[in-house]
Amino acid sequence: MLFFNNAIVRTPAKSVVNGIDDYANSGKPDYTKAVQEHESYVKLLTEMGIKVTILDPLVDYPDSCFVEDPAVVADKFAVITNPTRSSRTKEREKIRPIINKFYQKDQIFEIHRPGYLEGGDVMRVGNTFFVGLSARTNQVGINQFTKIAGKFDYEVISVPVNEFLHLKTGTTYLENNKLLVAGEYINNPYFKNFEQLQVPSEENYAVNCIDTGNGVIMPAGFPKVKTILIQHGFSPYEINMSEFSKIDGGLTCLSLRFNA
Ligand code: CIR
């Protein structure tokens, strides 16, 4: 059974070559290759039975293909977030029209200054949201998010993020209580009640996976993580992420996933 039947993505613009690179430091992405990788991602989601809404590229916003950051989508509500970096803040206005299409007015909320929050820091597990307190998400943003989520009976647990860009750059939830963990999240007390699938440090990037419920999408070229997934009964589907990884983008960043 699919965990989500809809996804929103945005085609990378030519300016993707100038996306923020705070961590990877491995050169600039190639635009043509990035578009091809994005097409493969959309194709895979579609083949899995997910309805994909593709938004037009935005040349003024180099990181706008990472649609996960300017919004958080849940079953009963959506939040327009407030991205921290000045080149990304206005992405919130660009994601708003599509959120308005899928959610009713009274289901849409916002994070506002002095609160900052990016969707990459938000990891939902059942009725709980783990939210990273990171370089991109501050406590005020988490407090605002907690109020919103509380209206819909979700609990919010704030988790410090030190080594990674976002919480989900260091851990992603699969299913049946299984959590992929890397770096600071290995044996981290915040996640002591999960079965932890530990990612070896040389494959840290591959901790960011998407469990569709019908197979796990993982970045190509990480044999150890692939083996771990298979050993735990998952079917891995690989997507080449060579270009997005150069600007710190992972698989989850490239889509907003929800049921509609
Ligand atoms: C950024 O630094 O904002 C982008 N270059 C990468 C965003 C990755 N997003 C995510 O992990 N959700």
Side-chain angles (χ1 to χ4, degrees):
M1 189 200 70
L2 284 171
F3 294 145
F4 53 94
N5 60 17
N6 266 264
I8 295 168
V9 303
R10 188 183 292 285
T11 306
K14 284 204 165 125
S15 56
V16 72
V17 300
N18 297 319
I20 302 168
D21 170 15
D22 284 344
Y23 290 81
N25 202 13
S26 54
K28 282 186 183 286
D30 177 281
Y31 164 67
T32 309
K33 273 196 207 161
V35 170
Q36 284 163 0
E37 291 178 356
H38 198 264
E39 281 169 0
S40 305
Y41 181 84
V42 170
K43 186 163 173 267
L44 178 56
L45 288 173
T46 307
E47 283 168 0
M48 287 176 145
I50 295 152
K51 185 174 179 299
V52 184
T53 302
I54 307 176
L55 305 176
D56 288 337
L58 293 173
V59 74
D60 290 340
Y61 302 95
D63 287 296
S64 56
C65 56
F66 301 122
V67 286
E68 181 178 60
D69 294 321
V72 174
V73 288
D75 281 351
K76 296 179 211 141
F77 69 98
V79 179
I80 307 288
T81 71
N82 194 15
T84 309
R85 297 290 283 265
S86 56
S87 66
R88 300 207 64 186
T89 306
K90 286 192 186 143
E91 284 180 34
R92 64 206 302 272
E93 300 316 324
K94 301 294 171 187
I95 204 75
R96 198 185 291 274
I98 194 70
I99 298 295
N100 286 341
K101 266 201 185 154
F102 282 105
Y103 291 84
Q104 307 292 330
K105 257 198 175 138
D106 61 357
Q107 294 179 298
I108 304 174
F109 300 84
E110 279 187 34
I111 303 296
H112 45 83
R113 275 190 297 174
Y116 289 95
L117 186 134
E118 295 186 354
D121 275 317
V122 180
M123 179 173 81
R124 189 183 64 79
V125 181
N127 285 333
T128 301
F129 285 101
F130 291 91
V131 184
L133 181 60
S134 71
R136 302 290 182 90
T137 294
N138 65 7
Q139 191 59 53
V140 183
I142 296 179
N143 294 347
Q144 292 177 8
F145 186 80
T146 303
K147 267 199 185 154
I148 298 162
K151 291 184 209 279
F152 299 91
D153 296 328
Y154 286 93
E155 180 193 13
V156 172
I157 298 175
S158 135
V159 183
V161 179
N162 300 304
E163 293 170 16
F164 297 101
L165 169 62
H166 289 124
L167 178 63
K168 282 186 291 188
T169 332
T171 177
T172 52
Y173 182 66
L174 298 170
E175 60 186 89
N176 295 333
N177 208 41
K178 294 185 203 320
L179 191 68
L180 274 169
V181 285
E184 64 189 297
Y185 299 116
I186 295 178
N187 295 326
N188 188 305
Y190 281 92
F191 300 119
K192 64 176 187 310
N193 294 331
F194 290 93
E195 182 186 345
Q196 298 200 354
L197 280 52
Q198 300 186 2
V199 170
S201 60
E202 66 277 19
E203 296 201 2
N204 268 2
Y205 178 74
V207 76
N208 184 272
C209 287
I210 300 175
D211 186 2
T212 65
N214 215 348
V216 174
I217 307 177
M218 65 168 290
F222 297 89
K224 291 179 181 158
V225 172
K226 188 174 180 181
T227 303
I228 292 169
L229 289 172
I230 293 169
Q231 279 169 348
H232 284 83
F234 295 104
S235 307
Y237 291 83
E238 292 178 80
I239 289 288
N240 194 346
M241 289 290 286
S242 67
E243 304 314 301
F244 298 109
S245 65
K246 290 176 186 165
I247 46 171
D248 305 336
L251 285 163
T252 63
C253 323
L254 288 177
S255 57
L256 285 166
R257 301 165 298 282
F258 58 106
N259 283 304

